[in-house]
Amino acid sequence: MSTWVPQPAGLQEILQTIRDSIDTQSNVQRAITHKLNSFTRVPDYIAYLAYILTALSQEDDQVRTIAGYLLKNNCRLLLTVSLEVAEYTKSAVLQAFVSSPPLIRNAAGHDIVAFLGVLEPRNWPDCLQQLVNMLDSPDPALQEAAFSVFEKACEDYPRKMDIEINGTRPLDYMIPKFLMLSEHPMPKMRSHAVACLSYFVPINSQSLFAHIDAFIACLFKRASDEDPSVRRHVCQALVLLLAARPEKLMPEMSNVAEYMLYSTKDKNESVALEACEFWLTFAEDPDLAAFLHPLLGRVAPVLLDCMVYGEDDLLWLEADTEDTNVPDKETDIKPRHYGGKTHGLDRDQTEHPNGQERKRGAYGEETLDDEEEEDYDLEDDDFADEMSTEWNLRKCAAAALDVLAVRFGPELLNVLLGPLKNKLWSAEWLERESGILALGAMAEGCIDAIEPHLTTLVPYLINTLNDPKPLVRSIACWTLGRYASWCTQPLSEEHKNLYFVPTMEGLLRMVLDDNKRVQEAGCSAFATLEEDAGPELVPYLEPVLRNLVFAFDKYQHKNTLILYDAVGTLADAVGRALQNPTYVDILMPPLTSRWAKLSDDDDDLIPLLECLASVTIAMGPAFAPYALPIFQRCVNIVHQSLLHYQAYQQNPDLDEPDKSFLVVSLDLLSGLAQGMGMQLEPLIGQTNPNLLHLLTVCLKHPQAPVRQSAYALVGDLAMGCFQLLRPHLPAIMAELTEQLDPEPKVEFISACNNAAWSVGEVALRYGRDEPEFQQWVNPLIARLIPILLHPKAPRSLHENAAVSIGRIGLMHPNIVAPHLPEFAQAWCMALYEIRDNEEKDSAFRGLCTLVQANPAGIAKSLLWFCNAIIRWHQPSAELNSMFQQLLSGFRHHDEAGWTAQVATFPPVIQERLAARYGV
């Protein structure tokens, strides 16, 4: 054992601080936390903590336990302390684990898990060996504690356990040991054994798969174990096997399916939840659809029954109260992550290459290709928002039904039509509520099959908004949101009056409900309706705004944050219609009132600024009376944030400042630039420090989201007030060019996107053959072409690079045209699916200008060029004329050659070229 011994004064100081930490007063706690953090600079701090945990048996167990948890939280210090301190700390913790009362042993167990994770088992083999030996201990409590450590370690870092040490693989003897212990008379030991084994499935551990048949036999044997924890781990193991090695389960699938159906109905919800995960995993794998299909008729009704609220849920939800006047607990409010503004292009959804539909994920969200980057959260919040409890059986069943709907569509509806009708029209409110949840869960996948029934179902849902039970009203809101795209279709006046208007009115009533859960669901569903309805909302703007503004006075803290989203989404949806003075007078007073009450470091300022960014763009010049204080405050927040970050860089002991305030202030300034254009000139002129000087600092900021929003602001200032930006562009263009990277790290992709977009905006504003911009053309093209050609660059980056190449080519064709053969095909492939808009139009005019300057440059890419042309729905008159001239020119130059080449094109391209351009 190490010779390290504590110094009495140091020991007493740390001990007293830990004793003081038991004080619950928050101001005391803050001081104690700061003091404890300062101890981490003491070279042997972790040894003192280990000594308190292990040696001070006369000390209160709570103090010793806190020392143990501080040791776990500071485990990374093991990597930097002296060998003597590290050896003492490790041996002391093992000693505490072997010979201490349960509370201290438990804390020591957590330390061992953390230490093994940091050091890795290969560097602490003694510990691994001692733990394995303890599994045979005559002391059942020590046996179980050792296995508990193994279970946590195998769960947290299975790959670190699956290694070779001195020529042997510990798992080669641990796996057979775990298999043997799955027969142990103690239920906890059997549970740990099955759990430990299962965690090596996802990493394809060869040590486990060498015993795969014995493992599967063990699972079948334990499947009927009387202990629910064992059965839960059996279900978990089967789920992991289905995901990693489905071929091993297929020969026994009829038995496995029977067991999982039975377990999905288990009275113990933790067992039922793990079994339900099996169906979710099964449905998510398209390769297993053929095996799942025959089971659909049995699985889907079981999932439907799992979606009824349990008694525990109802107790937790306290759902029947009119609680609109009850202040929220701060713990109810989830932290929000603001990612900053990203410039992207909308793809045309009317056609899909090769007839492929866009891929849909578990909750109907588009799944991303592996290389796709955007700031998507792949944990879709649809079901998480609908029920704010933890992941549970009801939520898992709804998610599984959603994926089954995507996978099997109308066949699922055929199976569930009878049971679903029974639930929707049941006298029991809990049954009705679960039926409405199921209807919403199936919306994306079954929409075509459900659509004929929506003329009945939508009025049913609208009527359900009058239900006396808040949980029924809230789920009806959520499900109406899932069918908002159908309700908002501008099919006819009759459709609008029967479905769109009543849905809008019903959801607005729910926005003002007296139950906070219903308010939240109503507000979220109304935001979805706004996105889908877009300009269709314009005739109803006044009553919509009055409802939303009334909600500001009614809502507590949490729902106010959701209301900001709804207002911002409304502004995005209706655009410049919001600049009507009546609407400005309704909306701005409550927003400015809240703005005035919040300090510059209040977290609630972030969603309000985000909301105002959308409002400023929509109101445009009508926002002018409110612009000065908002502009000045944003500039001040940017300035203060940069100063705080500078202080942090000079003193890393300080907490890193939250970048969100800086990012969202830059985005609101972008909104002002878009909305007000040159009206910003006097505001920029009278602020100190000058915004454009601050902007150049932001462009160099170490944090990518700050640069991302700064690049967006450059592009928006170029569009709205170019003359103010121009004097600063030499410094700015150098930073933008530097950011253009063909294979950026994931966290830099959005920043790179915005840089690629903004250089195109700047090029356009300079104008044709402008000498000052010419100096940057070659450096930019040298960066943008590799991005366009890089197979691993995200699609959005390909698109923005292509648009900017086109725009730079439009302004400087003689410099760019010689490069046309390098990028023509990739350029056309990047943009042919993009929806018609001005950006795409200017980019294509640039490409046509390049083709005019270098006709031979398009020769090898003519098919792709023609495909991109015929994908346009409504090109501008100027662009359409350029298409006509180029196509006619190709034909007249070599009519026989042209005819022969066009004959090789797909029929749809031939037909459209002939119909539109006569070639």
Side-chain angles (χ1 to χ4, degrees):
M1 191 161 171
S2 164
T3 57
W4 180 89
V5 288
Q7 297 299 313
L11 178 63
Q12 281 309 310
E13 187 179 6
I14 294 174
L15 252 181
Q16 192 54 50
T17 308
I18 293 175
R19 290 175 190 141
D20 293 343
S21 74
I22 299 167
D23 191 310
T24 54
Q25 293 177 21
S26 59
N27 57 335
V28 176
Q29 284 287 4
R30 272 194 296 274
I32 295 295
T33 303
H34 188 267
K35 192 167 184 184
L36 287 170
N37 288 341
S38 73
F39 289 147
T40 59
R41 297 191 198 96
V42 177
D44 49 357
Y45 174 51
I46 56 172
Y48 280 98
L49 293 174
Y51 183 83
I52 294 167
L53 174 72
T54 308
L56 296 188
S57 54
Q58 76 282 8
E59 193 63 51
D60 186 278
D61 276 3
Q62 188 176 3
V63 170
R64 294 173 69 192
T65 303
I66 291 171
Y69 284 110
L70 287 169
L71 190 51
K72 177 177 81 98
N73 293 341
N74 289 286
C75 62
R76 297 202 68 79
L77 294 176
L78 271 175
L79 301 173
T80 54
V81 295
S82 69
L83 184 61
E84 182 188 35
V85 168
E87 287 304 315
Y88 173 81
T89 303
K90 291 188 297 184
S91 60
V93 163
L94 274 173
Q95 182 189 330
F97 185 74
V98 172
S99 57
S100 297
L103 202 61
I104 307 305
R105 173 176 284 161
N106 188 44
H110 284 288
D111 291 337
I112 291 169
V113 174
F115 286 10
L116 279 170
V118 166
L119 296 170
E120 300 199 11
R122 72 173 76 243
N123 298 314
W124 198 15
D126 299 355
C127 175
L128 218 53
Q129 188 59 58
Q130 288 189 49
L131 287 170
V132 171
N133 294 343
M134 287 177 212
L135 295 178
D136 293 322
S137 166
D139 176 0
L142 184 59
Q143 252 190 335
E144 197 273 318
F147 223 162
S148 178
V149 167
F150 269 127
E151 183 178 333
K152 292 187 187 80
C154 295
E155 180 178 12
D156 290 351
Y157 39 81
R159 290 182 196 282
K160 292 179 184 177
M161 301 289 286
D162 191 15
I163 39 86
E164 192 173 290
I165 302 176
N166 301 328
T168 62
R169 302 186 71 80
L171 279 190
D172 285 349
Y173 60 85
M174 286 163 63
I175 295 290
K177 183 84 175 168
F178 295 163
L179 285 166
M180 186 183 75
L181 288 169
S182 71
E183 307 270 354
H184 199 282
M186 282 169 56
K188 278 189 175 179
M189 295 291 283
R190 298 197 300 275
S191 176
H192 289 317
V194 176
C196 285
L197 290 163
S198 71
Y199 294 130
F200 294 107
V201 173
I203 66 162
N204 284 308
S205 166
Q206 290 315 299
S207 298
L208 174 68
F209 286 134
H211 300 277
I212 188 71
D213 294 332
F215 176 46
I216 291 173
C218 153
L219 295 179
F220 286 146
K221 190 164 187 180
R222 295 273 63 85
S224 55
D225 199 294
E226 77 271 7
D227 185 75
S229 176
V230 177
R231 296 200 305 277
R232 177 172 76 82
H233 284 302
V234 168
C235 290
Q236 179 187 51
L238 290 168
V239 171
L240 293 170
L241 274 170
L242 183 70
R245 296 291 294 270
E247 77 282 357
K248 288 291 179 185
L249 289 185
M250 287 309 135
E252 294 287 345
M253 185 44 74
S254 59
N255 291 332
V256 173
E258 286 296 333
Y259 175 68
M260 285 307 202
L261 278 166
Y262 177 78
S263 297
T264 308
K265 297 181 274 190
D266 198 295
K267 288 186 172 62
N268 183 293
E269 183 165 330
S270 66
V271 176
L273 174 56
E274 286 297 342
C276 193
E277 294 273 8
F278 182 83
W279 305 116
L280 181 54
T281 302
F282 210 154
E284 282 176 333
D285 188 339
D287 296 334
L288 299 180
F291 297 98
L292 182 54
H293 186 258
L295 300 168
L296 197 59
R298 297 185 61 203
V299 173
V302 170
L303 293 175
L304 190 60
D305 287 336
C306 289
M307 289 159 68
V308 181
Y309 271 121
E311 288 179 17
D312 290 348
D313 291 324
L314 295 176
L315 284 172
W316 188 89
L317 289 166
E318 300 172 344
D320 280 347
T321 53
E322 291 187 357
D323 56 359
T324 190
N325 295 318
V326 179
D328 293 329
K329 299 173 191 157
E330 288 308 303
T331 51
D332 292 340
I333 298 160
K334 290 186 277 189
R336 297 161 61 89
H337 302 288
Y338 183 72
K341 179 177 178 177
T342 304
H343 189 85
L345 295 155
D346 292 330
R347 296 186 187 93
D348 196 331
Q349 296 184 30
T350 56
E351 298 181 49
H352 301 284
N354 310 321
Q356 289 180 338
E357 285 299 306
R358 306 179 86 170
K359 288 182 283 186
R360 290 275 163 195
Y363 305 101
E365 85 283 8
E366 275 186 51
T367 58
L368 305 173
D369 296 330
D370 288 342
E371 78 277 7
E372 196 57 20
E373 88 334 317
E374 319 277 15
D375 290 331
Y376 286 100
D377 180 0
L378 295 177
E379 291 273 333
D380 190 289
D381 284 338
D382 276 348
F383 296 111
D385 287 346
E386 183 274 299
M387 296 157 286
S388 50
T389 53
E390 291 300 306
W391 185 248
N392 57 17
L393 178 61
R394 163 188 165 85
K395 224 183 296 190
C396 183
L401 200 64
D402 189 341
V403 189
L404 286 174
V406 172
R407 190 71 62 225
F408 298 110
E411 292 176 89
L412 178 69
L413 187 65
N414 289 340
V415 166
L416 286 183
L417 205 52
L420 196 54
K421 277 184 177 173
N422 292 340
K423 283 190 181 286
L424 292 173
W425 275 273
S426 168
E428 288 291 326
W429 76 268
L430 285 169
E431 294 292 321
R432 283 200 310 279
E433 194 278 344
S434 67
I436 296 168
L437 169 60
L439 189 62
M442 294 160 64
E444 293 283 356
C446 291
I447 186 64
D448 292 338
I450 290 175
E451 194 161 347
H453 303 278
L454 286 179
T455 51
T456 305
L457 289 171
V458 168
Y460 164 85
L461 290 169
I462 293 166
N463 187 52
T464 304
L465 298 175
N466 300 312
D467 196 284
K469 290 288 183 183
L471 287 173
V472 177
R473 298 199 298 277
S474 69
I475 200 63
C477 290
W478 181 77
T479 298
L480 275 170
R482 300 275 282 179
Y483 290 101
S485 57
W486 181 84
C487 297
T488 56
Q489 290 177 88
L491 298 176
S492 64
E493 278 300 309
E494 183 185 28
H495 182 91
K496 184 191 290 186
N497 294 328
L498 284 175
Y499 308 111
F500 170 55
V501 174
T503 300
M504 177 182 68
E505 290 173 345
L507 290 176
L508 280 173
R509 274 193 299 113
M510 297 303 97
V511 166
L512 299 178
D513 197 271
D514 285 331
N515 178 275
K516 290 194 286 191
R517 175 176 290 276
V518 179
Q519 292 171 0
E520 179 182 358
C523 215
S524 297
F526 191 74
T528 304
L529 187 85
E530 292 170 340
E531 285 179 344
D532 287 322
E536 296 292 316
L537 278 170
V538 170
Y540 312 98
L541 259 177
E542 185 169 347
V544 167
L545 284 167
R546 291 197 186 281
N547 267 267
L548 296 178
V549 164
F550 189 76
F552 274 117
D553 292 327
K554 183 164 187 159
Y555 279 12
Q556 297 297 330
H557 187 183
K558 179 184 175 188
N559 286 349
T560 299
L561 304 182
I562 296 163
L563 188 57
Y564 289 142
D565 285 341
V567 171
T569 304
L570 179 67
D572 294 337
V574 301
R576 285 296 162 95
L578 204 59
Q579 62 186 340
N580 179 314
T582 304
Y583 307 153
V584 176
D585 290 343
I586 295 170
L587 183 56
M588 286 311 297
L591 292 180
T592 50
S593 163
R594 269 155 184 73
W595 164 270
K597 289 176 186 170
L598 297 172
S599 64
D600 284 357
D601 60 354
D602 191 316
D603 286 340
D604 287 0
L605 192 63
I606 292 168
L608 175 54
L609 291 174
E610 191 181 354
C611 167
L612 280 168
S614 294
V615 169
T616 56
I617 295 168
M619 287 186 177
F623 193 80
Y626 304 95
L628 179 60
I630 287 175
F631 180 86
Q632 287 177 329
R633 188 170 185 183
C634 284
V635 171
N636 184 55
I637 291 172
V638 170
H639 185 214
Q640 292 303 316
S641 297
L642 292 173
L643 289 176
H644 290 152
Y645 202 84
Q646 185 180 29
Y648 164 72
Q649 287 178 307
Q650 291 165 357
N651 180 8
D653 289 340
L654 296 173
D655 289 336
E656 185 170 12
D658 183 356
K659 65 182 177 297
S660 301
F661 293 95
L662 175 53
V663 169
V664 77
S665 297
L666 289 169
D667 288 349
L668 179 44
L669 289 166
S670 272
L672 285 165
Q674 280 180 265
M676 297 179 61
M678 283 305 290
Q679 283 184 280
L680 272 189
E681 183 173 11
L683 305 188
I684 290 175
Q686 62 189 337
T687 54
N688 188 26
N690 183 282
L691 169 63
L692 293 162
H693 289 137
L694 295 175
L695 177 57
T696 53
V697 178
C698 292
L699 293 171
K700 301 173 184 176
H701 200 282
Q703 292 175 312
V706 177
R707 296 199 306 277
Q708 170 187 331
S709 289
Y711 300 142
L713 180 53
V714 170
D716 289 323
L717 287 169
M719 284 162 48
C721 29
F722 178 68
Q723 293 311 316
L724 299 175
L725 183 67
R726 185 166 181 166
H728 300 267
L729 278 169
I732 287 172
M733 289 304 294
E735 293 299 331
L736 290 177
T737 307
E738 187 66 29
Q739 186 65 42
L740 299 172
D741 182 351
E743 199 172 349
K745 293 179 182 174
V746 171
E747 62 269 30
F748 296 164
I749 289 171
S750 294
C752 194
N753 255 330
N754 286 1
W757 165 73
S758 59
V759 296
E761 290 293 345
V762 170
L764 276 189
R765 310 307 153 188
Y766 264 108
R768 183 74 181 250
D769 294 324
E770 169 63 48
E772 187 180 339
F773 190 85
Q774 281 184 1
Q775 63 183 307
W776 301 311
V777 173
N778 279 323
L780 286 171
I781 292 299
R783 294 269 187 156
L784 290 167
I785 291 176
I787 289 175
L788 187 58
L789 299 179
H790 199 293
K792 289 188 178 177
R795 185 162 56 171
S796 58
L797 198 47
H798 281 156
E799 291 162 0
N800 278 314
V803 167
S804 286
I805 290 169
R807 289 170 148 193
I808 295 168
L810 180 61
M811 295 298 126
H812 301 272
N814 293 331
I815 304 176
V816 181
H819 299 280
L820 184 60
E822 287 179 61
F823 66 78
Q825 180 175 326
W827 195 100
C828 295
M829 290 171 71
L831 292 186
Y832 77 90
E833 275 193 294
I834 299 302
R835 197 176 293 169
D836 294 5
N837 61 25
E838 194 285 322
E839 279 182 41
K840 182 180 174 183
D841 196 281
S842 61
F844 267 82
R845 281 185 278 120
L847 184 71
C848 291
T849 305
L850 296 174
V851 175
Q852 287 167 349
N854 179 11
I858 200 72
K860 291 183 178 177
S861 310
L862 201 55
L863 167 61
W864 289 99
F865 182 50
C866 291
N867 176 57
I869 289 173
I870 62 105
R871 292 291 187 136
W872 274 88
H873 299 292
Q874 289 183 307
S876 66
E878 182 183 358
L879 179 60
N880 206 44
S881 170
M882 294 174 93
F883 287 156
Q884 183 70 65
Q885 285 174 14
L886 285 171
L887 293 169
S888 300
F890 290 143
R891 191 178 68 173
H892 292 145
H893 174 69
D894 176 8
E895 191 147 350
W898 169 261
T899 304
Q901 187 160 7
V902 170
T904 66
F905 290 177
V908 66
I909 299 180
Q910 295 184 46
E911 289 161 15
R912 291 190 189 176
L913 286 175
R916 292 185 190 175
Y917 301 106
V919 294

